[in-house]
């Protein structure tokens, strides 16, 4: 949904960019400039845990930790 909405805004304003670039930039910034864990960063990007065993034990949405990341 984020991708589609942002793409529409870019198109309406004649901006020659793609939303994935923002996601990639966010990932780089969060990794290099913050102390947030990889799990929190991946959750903020709405990435799904691919390992089925690990995913089965993942019970939290890390909401409070993602909020802190977004505040940063």
């Amino acid at each position: 949904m984020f991708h589609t909405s942002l793409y529409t805004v870019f198109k309406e304003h004649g901006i020659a960019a793609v939303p994935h670039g923002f996601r990639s930039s966010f990932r780089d910034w969060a990794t290099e400039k913050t102390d947030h864990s990889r799990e929190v960063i991946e959750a903020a990007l709405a990435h799904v845990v691919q390992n089925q065993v690990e995913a089965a034990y993942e019970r939290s949405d890390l909401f409070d930790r993602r909020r802190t990341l977004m505040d940063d």
Side-chain angles (χ1 to χ4, degrees):
M1 177 165 346
F2 172 79
H3 178 271
T4 306
S5 301
L6 194 54
Y7 180 79
T8 301
V9 170
F10 289 169
K11 190 172 182 178
E12 289 174 354
H13 290 87
I15 299 170
V18 294
H20 182 75
F22 284 94
R23 294 172 58 86
S24 178
S25 295
F26 171 80
R27 180 70 168 88
D28 290 344
W29 168 82
T31 300
E32 294 176 6
K33 302 295 183 180
T34 76
D35 293 325
H36 296 282
S37 70
R38 180 182 189 285
E39 291 79 13
V40 171
I41 296 167
E42 291 297 308
L45 290 167
H47 289 169
V48 178
V49 175
Q50 295 296 316
N51 180 297
Q52 291 180 349
V53 174
E54 186 179 341
Y57 289 97
E58 184 61 51
R59 304 268 191 249
S60 173
D61 63 3
L62 303 172
F63 185 78
D64 290 334
R65 293 176 65 189
R66 287 186 294 128
R67 183 193 317 257
T68 303
L69 170 61
M70 292 302 150
D71 284 346
D72 286 349

